[in-house]
Amino acid sequence: SDVCPHNCHDGRMSLVLHGLKGKPIAFAHRGGTGDADSAGQLVPNTIDAFRYAWDQGVTGVEADVRLTSEGVAVLESASGRRFSLRRLNLGDGRGRSLSEPGVARLADLYNSAPGSHLLCEVSLSVQATEVAAAAIEVALQADALDRLWIRSDDWELLRSLAEAGCAARLMHSMQQRIPESGFERYAAEVRKAGIAAVRLRHDWLSLGLVTLFHRFNVAVVAYGARERRHIRAMARIGVNGVSSDYARRLADEVRILP
């Protein structure tokens, strides 16, 4: 599959900050099961975990995606990590293996989204071009390409996807903090590369830093927000999305925002 299917924009995908005004997207990270009553029974990054997140009222989900040896995009859960390779080899019994805990098709995520949750934003962590291409194809088939984010901490991967005219919005997830003085250069590089958003730890962010990225027309998603006060603080400084492992409190706090 191509990362730029027939209905993609010409050249690099246009940046989308203008479409992200208002309340931040409430991204439930891997289902956000940290505050579930049955948290010990819910495996993150599984269909049940995402159903839990939708039931809480989140407006976005973050999932980790890998490929089977046949090129099928699947969700990888903690229990599924016994398959240590990026490409899971499901062999001839693919249907039976896919029903095991931790191995579900990405298409099942879309098929399981009830009613209004089909409008939910979906942010997928990928580590290779072919994974991104498979994910884009699934989102295209679900008529949800306009709500798909391809996320990675691999700068070169994202840049190559942008250069190929990737039809999904791209998000760079920063794992290590850079000096405050280096953020302006980083924001400029993100914009130049055609990457739509950055994903930064909530405790790195300030009003000034969010404003800086917005000046470059780059959206900001804050991750690692555990407490309600953290979520409220991110909303006050104008981030475009908040990622949390706690779906219930995340949805509650975003819901009551003006």
Side-chain angles (χ1 to χ4, degrees):
S1 298
D2 195 349
V3 295
C4 185
H6 61 273
N7 68 338
C8 74
H9 301 295
D10 293 333
R12 290 180 179 170
M13 181 166 180
S14 58
L15 300 182
V16 293
L17 185 58
H18 65 278
L20 294 175
K21 294 179 180 178
K23 294 183 179 182
I25 302 167
F27 282 112
H29 180 235
R30 309 184 89 237
T33 60
D35 54 5
D37 293 334
S38 56
Q41 302 170 21
L42 284 174
V43 178
N45 211 55
T46 59
I47 299 301
D48 285 344
F50 292 115
R51 284 185 178 135
Y52 166 76
W54 287 322
D55 287 346
Q56 306 316 304
V58 301
T59 52
V61 293
E62 292 183 333
D64 299 339
V65 179
R66 300 291 185 269
L67 290 185
T68 68
S69 58
E70 298 87 357
V72 178
V74 295
L75 305 176
E76 184 185 21
S77 74
S79 65
R81 292 190 180 186
R82 64 185 182 277
F83 302 100
S84 59
L85 299 179
R86 178 180 55 77
R87 284 180 172 272
L88 306 175
N89 188 353
L90 302 181
D92 294 334
R94 182 172 63 179
R96 182 173 63 254
S97 296
L98 280 169
S99 67
E100 293 179 4
V103 186
R105 290 180 175 90
L106 175 60
D108 295 336
L109 175 65
Y110 286 101
N111 293 337
S112 299
S116 62
H117 297 303
L118 290 171
L119 300 177
C120 185
E121 303 280 336
V122 176
S123 173
L124 301 178
S125 174
V126 306
Q127 297 300 326
T129 301
E130 59 266 31
V131 183
I136 288 169
E137 184 61 30
V138 171
L140 183 62
Q141 293 300 318
D143 194 25
L145 191 57
D146 61 331
R147 299 179 295 282
L148 175 64
W149 301 79
I150 295 295
R151 184 178 86 253
S152 181
D153 58 1
D154 186 334
W155 175 264
E156 292 303 322
L157 169 63
L158 292 176
R159 190 166 65 173
S160 67
L161 290 172
E163 289 175 350
C166 183
R169 291 167 292 183
L170 301 175
M171 183 186 305
H172 184 233
S173 187
M174 178 70 76
Q175 301 301 308
Q176 293 184 330
R177 186 172 187 172
I178 62 178
E180 192 78 21
S181 60
F183 273 114
E184 183 165 4
R185 179 179 178 182
Y186 171 57
E189 290 175 346
V190 169
R191 168 63 190 255
K192 183 178 179 181
I195 296 170
V198 294
R199 184 175 179 269
L200 305 171
R201 275 192 59 87
H202 74 94
D203 51 1
W204 298 349
L205 290 168
S206 63
L207 175 60
L209 194 53
V210 172
T211 301
L212 170 67
F213 281 105
H214 286 176
R215 180 159 57 86
F216 283 91
N217 200 26
V218 173
V220 179
V221 174
Y223 74 87
R226 297 172 57 91
E227 306 295 336
R228 291 178 181 273
R229 58 188 174 87
H230 297 153
I231 299 166
R232 290 194 293 267
M234 292 301 97
R236 284 196 298 269
I237 64 176
V239 300
N240 306 101
V242 180
S243 166
S244 177
D245 290 319
Y246 300 86
R248 181 185 301 163
R249 67 187 68 162
L250 174 64
D252 286 349
E253 291 301 325
V254 171
R255 188 182 298 115
I256 63 176
L257 291 173

